[in-house]
Amino acid sequence: MITLRRVQKAFQTGSSRQDILRSVDLQIDPGEYVAIMGKSGSGKSTLLNILGALDSTDSGEYILAGKPVHKMRQSKRTALRNTEIGFVFQQFQLIPNLSVYQNVLLPLTYGRKKLGRKKARVLQLLEEVGLADKKKQKPSRLSGGEKQRAAIARALVNEPSILLADEPTGSLDEATTETILQLFDRVHQQGTTIVVITHDQEVADRAQRVIHLKDGVLA
């Protein structure tokens, strides 16, 4: 499913160069649930952005489902994100002036499915995440856990093969965190590959495999 070979990434600030990822090799199989842990500045978010085709490598190879992402133009990477990858962020990234229903529907706006099928998919997911009764609410009316469940529904609406999550429980309390983790468990059981970045050992313990990143190197 996911293969990284000798991936390197650095950022240039003036005359200063900072190496973020150093010759990273990584293999994630279809249907696997992987947690990536590491201190702030270790390169976790950069690695996730590369896996999500939001950022490109400086060198090395990235193969996703047999496709050479490292060779793709931006337009091809965008198309790949829309069809293969779902994202969940710590700060939810919901659009405040849209309802829950409209936020979840948004990734389907440019798809080719008929409107009836799009509506059915959104309502199905809202039911699954327990937000069917909140579909008309704006994000400002939701609790933190409800916002994250809406964000997860949005991430899954295109039926991606991979779900990437960046500190998805970082701003949630313990009870709400458990609700979100149970939802991730169900998504994984349905066959979705999950990669989650976390500093929380409780979150990492739900994964099948934990990878540690230190100073841009997989430990």
Side-chain angles (χ1 to χ4, degrees), residues 173-213:
D173 61 35
E174 186 173 343
T176 307
T177 291
E178 178 61 24
T179 300
I180 297 302
L181 292 179
Q182 288 177 4
L183 181 54
F184 273 39
D185 289 343
R186 293 206 303 272
V187 170
H188 177 239
Q189 288 164 8
Q190 293 167 2
T192 304
T193 303
I194 298 178
V195 182
V196 58
I197 281 180
T198 184
H199 65 276
D200 188 336
Q201 188 63 51
E202 179 187 356
V203 175
D205 287 343
R206 303 294 273 263
Q208 295 170 304
R209 179 160 58 114
V210 180
I211 295 169
H212 293 272
L213 195 61

Side-chain angles (χ1 to χ4, degrees), residues 80-123:
L80 185 71
R81 286 198 304 271
N82 289 340
T83 57
E84 296 286 345
I85 303 167
F87 294 91
V88 180
F89 303 98
Q90 180 177 352
Q91 298 302 327
F92 321 126
Q93 306 292 346
L94 298 172
I95 298 177
N97 63 328
L98 297 182
S99 68
V100 169
Y101 174 89
Q102 290 168 327
N103 267 282
V104 177
L105 178 66
L106 195 59
L108 294 176
T109 303
Y110 303 104
R112 296 183 178 180
K113 288 182 180 179
K114 292 182 179 180
L115 183 59
R117 291 183 62 192
K118 292 178 181 179
K119 289 181 176 180
R121 175 64 177 161
V122 173
L123 292 175

Side-chain angles (χ1 to χ4, degrees), residues 37-44 213-214:
M37 301 189 76
K39 294 181 180 179
S40 296
S42 61
K44 302 188 304 299
L213 195 61
K214 182 178 181 180

Side-chain angles (χ1 to χ4, degrees), residues 7-182:
V7 164
Q8 302 210 112
K9 184 69 179 180
F11 292 116
Q12 193 82 26
T13 305
S15 60
S16 175
R17 171 188 167 95
Q18 183 179 6
D19 292 317
I20 305 299
L21 297 177
R22 309 163 189 260
S23 197
V24 170
D25 292 319
L26 177 63
Q27 179 75 38
I28 297 176
D29 294 330
E32 202 173 2
Y33 188 165
V34 175
I36 299 175
M37 301 189 76
K39 294 181 180 179
S40 296
S42 61
K44 302 188 304 299
S45 292
T46 299
L47 177 58
L48 200 74
N49 286 342
I50 287 174
L51 294 178
L54 290 168
D55 202 355
S56 57
T57 64
D58 290 342
S59 63
E61 300 178 354
Y62 174 23
I63 311 297
L64 174 60
K67 301 168 186 173
V69 182
H70 60 287
K71 294 182 178 180
M72 289 181 180
R73 295 179 179 179
Q74 182 61 46
S75 59
K76 290 274 190 180
R77 293 208 308 268
T78 299
L80 185 71
R81 286 198 304 271
N82 289 340
T83 57
E84 296 286 345
I85 303 167
F87 294 91
V88 180
F89 303 98
Q90 180 177 352
Q91 298 302 327
F92 321 126
Q93 306 292 346
L94 298 172
I95 298 177
N97 63 328
L98 297 182
S99 68
V100 169
Y101 174 89
Q102 290 168 327
N103 267 282
V104 177
L105 178 66
L106 195 59
L108 294 176
T109 303
Y110 303 104
R112 296 183 178 180
K113 288 182 180 179
K114 292 182 179 180
L115 183 59
R117 291 183 62 192
K118 292 178 181 179
K119 289 181 176 180
R121 175 64 177 161
V122 173
L123 292 175
Q124 172 201 346
L125 280 171
L126 290 177
E127 187 71 39
E128 288 181 9
V129 302
L131 290 177
D133 61 335
K134 301 288 179 92
K135 64 183 179 182
K136 295 182 180 180
Q137 299 281 7
K138 298 289 178 63
S140 61
R141 303 291 299 276
L142 303 180
S143 68
E146 288 169 339
K147 289 176 183 177
Q148 194 59 291
R149 282 186 277 153
I152 292 170
R154 182 185 58 190
L156 296 173
V157 74
N158 267 331
E159 301 179 78
S161 56
I162 301 166
L163 182 65
L164 303 178
D166 192 354
E167 299 284 6
T169 62
S171 58
L172 305 178
D173 61 35
E174 186 173 343
T176 307
T177 291
E178 178 61 24
T179 300
I180 297 302
L181 292 179
Q182 288 177 4

